[in-house]
Amino acid sequence: MTATPTPPPASPATAPPPGAADDWLRLDQQICFTLNAASRAFNGVYRVVLRDLGLTYPQYLVMLVLWEHGTLPVKKLGEHLRLDSGTLSPLLKRLEAAGLVRRERSARDERSVEVQPTEEGVALRRRALEVPRRIMAATGFEIGEIRGLSTRLQELTTALDKAAAAEGT
């Protein structure tokens, strides 16, 4: 008896028929949707947890970078957060109005604006120490699982950045 050869994997031209369990155009087969759904779920949990701090999730991310790095030019802050200045400026304006950050023109380069946490912004860090524990509890994951997932997502981001750069050339 002769073994039946295994067919080659389907290519986009030979994709499974619509409705098949392995149909590549099914919503549940899309990693982009899964990541987006997870991101929205995270944002929902963060919204509740950060309410006690008076911060939105994007504002929390700004404060995390400033707590880690101290005073930074707006451009460098945007690089850390992967945000352009048009998105970052309104965030900084609201944080400044709340008394958490201060924006000043750089003494070294008048074209550059530097952002630094105020005393109140630095003091908020102590209250924020509870946030990661609450988020971890909400996931039900152990710290090793969270770190592993974070590492894989960073690798995915790097790969996608490289692919986007290659597509753009």
Side-chain angles (χ1 to χ4, degrees), residues 33-47:
F33 178 75
T34 305
L35 288 169
N36 185 59
S39 178
R40 292 175 55 87
F42 257 112
N43 288 341
V45 172
Y46 270 103
R47 189 176 307 112

Side-chain angles (χ1 to χ4, degrees), residues 97-124:
L100 299 174
V101 303
R102 181 175 25 263
R103 294 182 294 171
E104 296 177 347
R105 291 254 170 234
S106 169
R108 294 180 302 271
D109 180 358
E110 282 288 320
R111 297 169 296 174
S112 178
V113 174
E114 294 183 336
V115 183
Q116 66 183 50
T118 61
E119 283 185 34
E120 187 178 343
V122 171
L124 185 63

Side-chain angles (χ1 to χ4, degrees), residues 9-68:
S11 69
T14 61
D22 57 350
D23 182 352
W24 297 335
L25 295 180
R26 286 175 48 121
L27 184 62
D28 64 0
Q29 298 293 319
Q30 306 303 309
I31 189 171
C32 57
F33 178 75
T34 305
L35 288 169
N36 185 59
S39 178
R40 292 175 55 87
F42 257 112
N43 288 341
V45 172
Y46 270 103
R47 189 176 307 112
V48 172
V49 171
L50 294 174
R51 191 175 300 138
D52 295 341
L53 299 179
L55 295 175
T56 64
Y57 177 69
Q59 291 170 343
Y60 175 67
L61 296 179
V62 168
M63 295 308 298
L64 286 174
V65 173
L66 294 175
W67 291 330
E68 182 178 349

Side-chain angles (χ1 to χ4, degrees), residues 88-157:
L88 193 52
S89 290
L91 281 171
L92 295 174
K93 187 179 261 188
R94 285 191 294 275
L95 286 168
E96 190 171 37
L100 299 174
V101 303
R102 181 175 25 263
R103 294 182 294 171
E104 296 177 347
R105 291 254 170 234
S106 169
R108 294 180 302 271
D109 180 358
E110 282 288 320
R111 297 169 296 174
S112 178
V113 174
E114 294 183 336
V115 183
Q116 66 183 50
T118 61
E119 283 185 34
E120 187 178 343
V122 171
L124 185 63
R125 184 181 187 281
R126 285 187 291 282
R127 291 180 42 218
L129 289 171
E130 190 68 14
V131 172
R133 186 198 61 75
R134 290 179 66 188
I135 296 301
M136 190 170 81
T139 67
F141 289 11
E142 297 294 326
I143 189 69
E145 292 173 300
I146 290 175
R147 286 185 177 143
L149 178 58
S150 181
T151 297
R152 292 296 289 163
L153 289 171
Q154 289 168 8
E155 292 167 353
L156 176 62
T157 301

